[in-house]
Amino acid sequence: MKRGFVFRYLRVFFVFSFLAFLIQGCQKKESHRHKADVIIYGGTSAAVIAAVEATHSGKSVIMVSPDIHLGGLSSGGLGWTDTGRKETIGGLARNFYHRIYEHYQKDAAWKWMKKEEFGNRGQGAPAIDGQERTMWIFEPHVAESVFEELITENNITVFRDEFLDRENGVRKLEGKIVSITTLSGKTFEGKMFIDATYEGDLMATSGVSYHVGREGNDVYGETWNGIQTGVYHHRHHFNVLDEPIDPYRIPDDPASGLLPRISPDPPGKKGEGDHRVQAYCFRVCMTDHPENRRPFPKPEGYDSIQYELLVRIFDSGWREWFDKFDAIPNRKTDTNNHGPFSSDNIGMNYEYPEADYERRKAIIKEHEIYQKGLYWFVANDSRVPQEIRNRMQQWGLAKDEFTDNGNWPHQLYVREARRMIGEFVMTENELMKRTPTPESVGMGSYTIDSHNVQRYVDEEGHVQNEGDIGVELPEPYEIAYGSLVPKKEECSNLLVPVCVSASHIAYGSIRMEPVFMILGQSAAAAACLSIDEKTAVQDVSYEKLRELLIEKGQVLTINDLMGKK
């Protein structure tokens, strides 16, 4: 009798235990599934602004960010904003720069200098515009705090450090994305999806067409695309020197081999396309304030031979090393590339756009070691001219920036990676006003710009850089809605405001942080309108979208711009 009772008890116990296990498993599975009207993949400035717009439009939104820190380059060191014509920047983007302005109106914001000592120098616009109540030059941590304020104020749900499963992480049904899954196993279901990353991983994994590298000029009837040998628009080439530079380890001895960071490959034929992308770097925040300065660290893996080419440049008499130590508040800089050999790590990023995550980490680390080593070299190596070395030792990393990353920027400047081939492709012809732009959702105004793409040995046996382009625009230009959306047959509920549909050389102007914010807002507004209209993003009523964007303060055409004067 007792034994029968025990058996019955055990049977009931095992049944209930099994049911509890199933329920727990279902609950665990459910905890890994998340739903919202709009799913935004990315942590860039465009991603944050898109999330804010979706919330303002009354839609639920989730940000799925590979990044821990939000804001991309805008909070990652690029505080010397590439504004172009600031009048073109409206909507939530302008609100961001207004919030920056409000921060620096407080006395407490000026810890390491007095406000009146700043000088108010900006790029194409005064740093502080009191009339418009905007500020265009700022410290990285201030930008990040503004992005975090926007997230908090709008109660936006953010999942950080979540990387898309690029093998099996996109589920599509009848031409629509149904859900995306990250490497941690979390799944995000939505009606609309926005890829706001610099790399375009969601776009690519969704089967959308894209391009990497430079198109030939013949593809879109352009002039400044493709290989640009013999073109020297800025001072980032070797023709600025008083004498040519020998590329070999032992001068005049090709058998000795090339110095590091010079490609042995021929540059290619002018105007033809290639696989190469413009150089990346970190926009490093430096300071010369003794109390806030951390001496440049000597990186593990440092190798002084990597900078031998710079020694020869200095030996030629070149002294422009400090020309892009652009001043931001509190005696800090946004330090950018300048000269024939600088922070741009030319030729070392070609794999990055298509590389897997581990390979990308390795490329980012190589860029970090190169650039840290470069600064340590200039400050300490006896082959650097004494006056340069002494002055460089007055600078260092800002102790109060990037405090969880050794005061080094958390974001590599991915100037260009994948670019979508969408419903409409922006080219230099639209930017130069040779051809009209349909259905504008924002404006750009920055110079057509590309950094160097390769460093090679020219026909005379000297080292040369190639790919640096700077072409002035006749006036600000419109950006087509069709450049934000894929071809309809490829995906009907995805928008791409960062890896937009543009040729290499057109993207060189579009790729500015204020423009990414503008396009992030427009993309989110279109996504919400698409939900309301129950239509594909390609079929959204442009008239309704245009009316909505103007109501939200976006500047869409040259006529709108003239109306703001």
Side-chain angles (χ1 to χ4, degrees), residues 401-416:
E401 299 290 351
F402 313 116
T403 55
D404 63 347
N405 197 40
N407 311 117
W408 192 257
H410 45 69
Q411 175 67 59
L412 179 66
Y413 194 172
V414 179
R415 288 188 170 95
E416 175 183 32

Side-chain angles (χ1 to χ4, degrees), residues 51-52 55 60-61 148-158:
V52 173
T55 302
S60 60
V61 61
E148 291 293 348
E149 285 172 8
L150 289 168
I151 294 296
T152 301
E153 288 175 14
N154 292 279
N155 297 312
I156 295 167
T157 301
V158 183

Side-chain angles (χ1 to χ4, degrees), residues 6-22:
V6 169
F7 283 143
R8 284 195 300 274
Y9 174 80
L10 288 175
R11 194 161 51 241
V12 171
F13 173 79
F14 282 125
V15 168
F16 275 100
S17 295
F18 181 67
L19 288 173
F21 173 77
L22 289 177

Side-chain angles (χ1 to χ4, degrees), residues 375-416:
Y375 297 147
W376 195 92
F377 178 86
V378 174
N380 294 280
D381 197 284
S382 61
R383 293 172 293 171
V384 174
Q386 187 73 51
E387 69 271 23
I388 298 287
R389 207 174 347 134
N390 288 347
R391 188 175 170 190
M392 190 67 173
Q393 288 171 4
Q394 302 304 307
W395 291 95
L397 302 180
K399 290 180 182 178
D400 59 352
E401 299 290 351
F402 313 116
T403 55
D404 63 347
N405 197 40
N407 311 117
W408 192 257
H410 45 69
Q411 175 67 59
L412 179 66
Y413 194 172
V414 179
R415 288 188 170 95
E416 175 183 32

